[in-house]
Amino acid sequence: MRNAKIVCTLGPASDDRNTIRGLATAGMSVARLNASHGTTAHREDVIERVRDVDDEIDDPLAVMVDLKGPEVRTAEIDDPIRIETDSEVAFHEGTDATPERIGLTHSIAAAASGDTVLLDDGRIECRVERVDEDGSVVARVVSGGELGSRKGVNLPGVAIDVDLITPEDEGELRLAARADADFVAASFVRDADDVYRIADRLEEYGGDDVPVIAKIERAGAVENLSGIVDAADGVMVARGDLGVECPLEDVPMIQKRIIRTCVDRGVPVITATEMLDSMIRSRRPTRAEASDVANAVLDGTDAVMLSGETAIGDHPIRVVETMDRIVREVETSEEYAETREQRVPAAADGSRTEALARSARYLARDIGASTVVAVSESGYTARKTAMFRPGVPVVATTPDDRVRRQLALSWGVQPVTTEYAHDMETVLDNAVDAAIDTGAAASGDTLVVLSGMLTELEGTNTTNTLKVHIAAETVATGKAVVAGRVAAPVHRSADGDLSVVPEGSIVALESDFDGEFTGDLDRIAGIVDARPGMTGYPAVVARELGVPMVSGVTLPDSVADGTTLTLDGERGVVYDGDVIAPARRR
């Protein structure tokens, strides 16, 4: 399976149902709807299409509504205009644009002489000369170019006086709550308070369980990174605006710092902007773009994001297939494994869940488990398990289908919806079924099961439980007498006569057996005694031979003589079939 997830922006090239299905098949985990383009009503229709596709496929497909936020953009125009180098241009709040006077969605009168105004991700650069009494900002064009419709405007280091939540955002937040969006991405957050304001507004509209993804787009947000990460449910490294707001040479290290901070806190992080940008028109990415994706994966990002590549590109499905191949290739490398082992964060002081999740990671490695199963109502336990980047798949079981979709963003997690479990036995049964159904485990594999159910389960004294379990059907359980494991055919014996027992058999003694074995004891591979106790004659024999034994077990009539069983003398369990073979193959 692929650990790092893929977020795809849907747009005119990809928002029909067939293409959404194709993107999901190619590897899309989260569909992003960019509120900077299109209408709220159209996005509601697209969400319904995504939900329909999610119902049809096995892997979860989540929806993210990305707020436009208090962005400053140039006016909407029909045809591009040419802005000449060394010319003078005035910026004002308006709806028209000429080479001499450019209308903006918001006033930038907070600028001062000497400030820089960047248009279209810095492709056009201007230097402020003065601010007129009417609020127009007059600037000299340092580097000109062609300016299209509704291009972004950046003023590095200048705080523009605009509300965090715009009237347009209000409509999108209502939509997110009404349509049960899985995530809302908040644009242009400056600090933790901005994240809380978005969450509070969602709660007002009935979307209190919609996670907020904080987009790091401003230099000020980088300075307040720690608080933002603590407040947010996820973080997006929006490198496009960061590359305009901050010195370009700083962005790679800022990206690494953000990813590392998020991984250390167990907060999902998305690396975004221009990852395979050339594939908007080309059928192949550049080598530099492939390296860019690979480095983000090596850094430990939870997800990589495609923007224009899938929204307006010529080959949206092909782009996702390419991204998927790059990620998978990186994740099979020795360098990736080495990096993952070297960057395991410490568990937070006082966090039992983090301590157990970290233990699950190393326990799975040390015992050769094939899968970690995280049983989680809210998704919290599963996200904490992913935080420690185990070397085996993380299968998350949850009774909440919405949580299943939200876990689609978390590194290495394969979410599965299961029925609510009222006891530990059902929890384990669900864990085994989920691991096998997803292909993460096969019958006989060892699983590490981490239960984070909030309701106290019958038979447990804690809401967080770590168990080692075998992915196999249990035939019977009893008292462990002699440790060890063996897989062999079983043969019942009423009188202890071994002459009729094939060599290398598990001998099952009936409840009325009260004698001694006759014949060659070396024929015995293990003993199952229907009578309870640990000190009788069969136990003495088992200890002398060094073969596993379980007492107090009567095999069901459905188990015929000659059936291969696995006897686990350490746990006191009898399993159907040979569950040791997978461990031998490893």
Side-chain angles (χ1 to χ4, degrees):
M1 76 173 267
R2 192 186 67 235
N3 290 319
K5 307 301 178 66
I6 298 176
V7 180
C8 298
T9 305
L10 302 185
S14 56
D15 60 9
D16 63 281
R17 179 170 171 158
N18 288 339
T19 306
I20 293 171
R21 176 66 185 263
L23 293 172
T25 301
M28 173 176 66
S29 298
V30 181
R32 170 183 176 250
L33 307 180
N34 186 359
S36 294
H37 305 284
T39 66
T40 303
H42 178 67
R43 272 183 286 282
E44 189 159 13
D45 291 339
V46 176
I47 289 175
E48 291 181 6
R49 295 171 204 162
V50 175
R51 290 286 184 255
D52 289 342
V53 172
D54 177 56
D55 290 340
E56 296 171 357
I57 62 177
D58 293 330
D59 294 328
L61 181 58
V63 170
M64 176 189 295
V65 176
D66 194 334
L67 303 180
K68 181 169 66 172
E71 61 183 353
V72 181
R73 286 185 177 268
T74 61
E76 185 172 353
I77 54 179
D78 294 330
D79 299 307
I81 58 176
R82 182 74 187 178
I83 308 299
E84 297 293 343
T85 300
D86 204 35
S87 65
E88 188 176 83
V89 61
F91 297 99
H92 68 106
E93 190 172 354
T95 58
D96 59 342
T98 68
E100 295 78 26
R101 192 167 174 81
I102 299 175
L104 307 178
T105 54
H106 299 281
S107 169
I108 59 171
S113 177
D115 286 339
T116 299
V117 180
L118 300 172
L119 310 178
D120 193 9
D121 288 338
R123 293 179 175 87
I124 299 174
E125 179 180 349
C126 307
R127 189 80 62 193
V128 175
E129 293 187 337
R130 67 181 187 276
V131 179
D132 291 340
E133 292 184 0
D134 64 357
S136 295
V137 174
V138 180
R140 179 70 55 183
V141 180
V142 177
S143 177
E146 194 173 77
L147 179 66
S149 178
R150 291 184 50 77
K151 295 302 181 182
V153 180
N154 294 84
L155 285 83
V158 178
I160 304 298
D161 185 19
V162 292
D163 290 335
L164 173 70
I165 303 174
T166 67
E168 293 87 351
D169 290 338
E170 298 280 2
E172 299 302 326
L173 291 170
R174 288 189 177 93
L175 167 64
R178 181 173 65 251
D180 288 333
D182 302 301
F183 305 97
V184 162
S187 297
F188 304 110
V189 298
R190 296 156 295 191
D191 51 31
D193 286 342
D194 283 349
V195 179
Y196 294 133
R197 287 179 62 190
I198 297 292
D200 289 344
R201 195 60 57 88
L202 276 168
E203 185 174 0
E204 289 179 22
Y205 298 143
D208 51 297
D209 54 354
V210 178
V212 177
I213 308 296
K215 296 169 67 176
I216 308 298
E217 300 174 278
R218 295 288 185 254
V222 176
E223 296 172 2
N224 297 318
L225 178 62
S226 182
I228 291 172
V229 172
D230 287 341
D233 300 292
V235 167
M236 182 187 297
V237 190
R239 304 179 307 174
D241 282 289
L242 271 178
V244 178
E245 285 279 315
C246 304
L248 198 62
E249 61 272 18
D250 290 351
V251 174
M253 298 314 298
I254 291 174
Q255 171 181 315
K256 290 178 181 293
R257 190 182 316 141
I258 295 172
I259 292 174
R260 186 61 181 162
T261 300
C262 289
V263 172
D264 285 350
R265 309 280 180 87
V267 175
V269 56
I270 306 165
T271 305
T273 317
E274 296 182 341
M275 301 219 77
L276 297 178
D277 193 59
S278 67
M279 290 193 75
I280 292 177
R281 298 291 173 255
S282 173
R283 292 177 61 85
R284 290 175 57 86
T286 66
R287 293 164 181 81
E289 288 169 340
S291 295
D292 181 34
V293 174
N295 280 317
V297 174
L298 287 169
D299 286 342
T301 190
D302 286 80
V304 284
M305 194 178 96
L306 297 163
S307 300
E309 302 96 324
T310 51
I312 59 172
D314 293 340
H315 319 284
I317 294 175
R318 185 184 181 93
V319 174
V320 180
E321 291 171 342
T322 302
M323 179 79 85
D324 178 79
R325 287 198 305 272
I326 295 170
V327 174
R328 288 180 185 273
E329 186 64 25
V330 173
E331 291 181 347
T332 58
S333 69
E334 293 181 4
E335 290 81 1
Y336 180 78
E338 182 179 354
T339 299
R340 192 181 62 229
E341 286 296 323
Q342 290 175 345
R343 295 182 177 177
V344 181
D349 290 342
S351 173
R352 179 170 55 183
T353 299
E354 286 193 14
L356 287 173
R358 196 173 193 272
S359 299
R361 179 201 196 279
Y362 288 109
L363 180 60
R365 183 195 66 182
D366 293 344
I367 67 174
S370 65
T371 314
V372 174
V373 182
V375 184
S376 184
E377 284 182 277
S378 66
Y380 180 78
T381 298
R383 283 188 288 271
K384 289 303 181 183
T385 304
M387 168 182 174
F388 297 102
R389 302 299 195 252
V392 296
V394 177
V395 175
T397 65
T398 176
D400 190 327
D401 196 53
R402 189 173 194 182
V403 171
R404 176 189 68 92
R405 296 194 305 268
Q406 291 171 347
L407 288 172
L409 184 60
S410 294
W411 181 98
V413 175
Q414 291 181 276
V416 179
T417 305
T418 60
E419 295 295 326
Y420 186 86
H422 295 281
D423 55 79
M424 200 62 207
E425 183 178 352
T426 305
V427 167
L428 295 176
D429 288 344
N430 288 347
V432 170
D433 291 343
I436 292 176
D437 289 346
T438 60
S443 180
D445 280 0
T446 300
L447 310 179
V448 173
V449 182
L450 183 63
S451 174
M453 304 296 278
L454 297 179
T455 305
E456 187 168 340
L457 300 176
E458 180 183 345
T460 66
N461 296 317
T462 175
T463 56
N464 287 295
T465 306
L466 184 63
K467 292 181 70 72
V468 175
H469 194 66
I470 303 296
E473 181 180 352
T474 299
V475 174
T477 59
K479 183 70 173 179
V481 179
V482 179
R485 291 201 303 168
V486 65
V490 65
H491 286 272
R492 292 175 174 84
S493 176
D495 57 7
D497 182 5
L498 299 179
S499 64
V500 295
V501 174
E503 186 174 353
S505 295
I506 295 173
V507 178
L509 301 174
E510 305 291 349
S511 59
D512 56 355
F513 176 76
D514 193 27
E516 296 184 357
F517 292 123
T518 59
D520 185 5
L521 294 177
D522 289 338
R523 290 174 176 268
I524 301 175
I527 299 175
V528 176
D529 192 350
R531 299 171 302 171
M534 302 179 63
T535 59
Y537 169 77
V540 172
V541 173
R543 291 190 180 96
E544 288 182 354
L545 296 176
V547 298
M549 177 179 168
V550 176
S551 66
V553 169
T554 300
L555 296 178
D557 293 339
S558 58
V559 178
D561 280 6
T563 301
T564 296
L565 301 177
T566 298
L567 179 60
D568 190 328
E570 184 175 347
R571 295 188 179 89
V573 181
V574 180
Y575 298 104
D576 183 33
D578 181 356
V579 304
I580 302 176
R584 287 196 296 263
R585 288 195 295 271
R586 285 196 297 272

